[in-house]
Amino acid sequence: MAASAPATAGELLRIEPLELRFPFELKKQISCSMQLSNLSNDYIAFKVKTTSPKKYSVRPNTGVVSPRSTCDVVVTMQAQREAPPDMQCKDKFLVQSVVAPAAIAVKDVTADMFTKESGNRMEEVKLRVTYVAPPQPPSPVPEESEEGSPSRASESENGDGPAGGFTRALRERMEPHEKSSEAGALISKLTEEKNSAIQQNHRLRQELDMVRREVSKRRGGGFSFIIVIIVGLIGILLGYLMRS
């Protein structure tokens, strides 16, 4: 709805506001209202005109305001497909008012009553149209703790609270240290695996030497075909272990 603007204190009708402000949005109908106040003891007939009748609908566009009473008029702008240049609007409204016979009905109000030829006492008030930015949604309210204040623990964790700067700096200093500790642990593990493989290789060589000596004792220094195969398999196994 339109924001309040200065009203006119005419002799017949007091109109508020004098500027119709529409929160402009594309492809959306927008309504704005104005109030007509009759401060006199007469019946006042009125008629609302606009320079863009296809763009706006006015309800009611004609009527009667009883003595010492008011009448609300709603102006609706049809949905617009494109915004005007620089959001400037040149549309105008005109409110005409005349003194009407006592207890006149709305159906008896005619266009002839608002002509100069009718000889009626008539007033005319012009209203401007202005486009304004639509209202922004309210910002979300942070959740409160049981004591009724925002949770400081979450602020500290996110680095948004009073201690957030210290927490963030401490975290930045600890991260490289943690990464170097992880690298050191990985190197230690690889070193242990390498030492274990070397020890296992050494034991296999000793066992191979024992097998060779035992075979030499039993065969008198000759190697059978089966012994050669066994030695070859042991050599392949040792090569695989060394590559690992």
Side-chain angles (χ1 to χ4, degrees):
M1 302 300 286
S4 297
T8 177
E11 296 183 6
L12 298 182
L13 287 180
R14 183 176 186 269
I15 303 173
E16 184 180 6
L18 292 178
E19 183 180 72
L20 300 180
R21 299 180 181 179
F22 291 90
F24 187 87
E25 294 184 61
L26 289 176
K27 300 179 181 180
K28 184 177 180 181
Q29 280 191 346
I30 308 169
S31 296
C32 183
S33 67
M34 57 179 165
Q35 187 177 75
L36 310 180
S37 301
N38 181 4
L39 306 180
S40 69
N41 295 321
D42 297 318
Y43 284 81
I44 306 297
F46 69 88
K47 184 177 182 64
V48 182
K49 296 181 179 181
T50 177
T51 55
S52 302
K54 294 183 179 180
K55 185 176 179 180
Y56 302 93
S57 64
V58 183
R59 295 291 183 273
N61 60 344
T62 59
V64 177
V65 185
S66 301
R68 305 294 176 178
S69 62
T70 61
C71 177
D72 292 326
V73 177
V74 178
V75 181
T76 301
M77 181 176 66
Q78 304 303 319
Q80 301 298 300
R81 296 184 178 180
E82 58 183 18
D86 300 328
M87 292 297 288
Q88 299 296 320
C89 182
K90 298 181 180 180
D91 300 333
K92 298 289 189 297
F93 281 82
L94 179 67
V95 179
Q96 297 176 313
S97 57
V98 297
V99 177
I104 184 175
V106 176
K107 64 180 181 178
D108 297 328
V109 178
T110 63
D112 295 337
M113 298 174 60
F114 301 93
T115 61
K116 295 180 180 180
E117 291 77 11
S118 65
N120 294 328
R121 176 188 171 191
M122 183 176 63
E123 285 185 353
E124 292 183 341
V125 178
K126 295 181 180 180
L127 287 77
R128 296 190 308 164
V129 176
T130 302
Y131 294 150
V132 297
Q136 299 297 323
S139 58
V141 179
E143 296 182 0
E144 296 185 352
S145 61
E146 296 180 357
E147 291 77 11
S149 59
S151 175
R152 296 184 179 179
S154 60
E155 291 180 353
S156 298
E157 292 177 358
N158 298 331
D160 297 332
F166 174 77
T167 303
R168 185 166 53 253
L170 181 62
R171 185 182 301 168
E172 292 175 354
R173 291 190 177 184
M174 291 179 63
E175 286 179 355
H177 178 71
E178 292 176 354
K179 292 181 180 179
S180 61
S181 299
E182 293 177 359
L186 180 60
I187 293 174
S188 300
K189 183 178 180 181
L190 293 175
T191 303
E192 292 177 358
E193 292 179 355
K194 179 181 177 181
N195 293 335
S196 177
I198 293 174
Q199 293 177 0
Q200 188 174 4
N201 185 23
H202 183 67
R203 286 196 299 268
L204 288 175
R205 287 181 179 274
Q206 290 178 348
E207 292 177 0
L208 179 60
D209 292 340
M210 292 176 62
V211 170
R212 286 176 177 175
R213 287 195 296 268
E214 185 68 22
V215 171
S216 297
K217 291 179 182 180
R218 292 184 180 183
R219 299 293 183 182
F223 287 91
S224 65
F225 181 72
I226 297 176
I227 298 301
V228 172
I229 292 176
I230 293 174
V231 172
L233 292 175
I234 293 175
I236 292 173
L237 178 61
L238 289 174
Y240 174 77
L241 291 175
M242 290 296 294
R243 286 196 299 271
S244 300

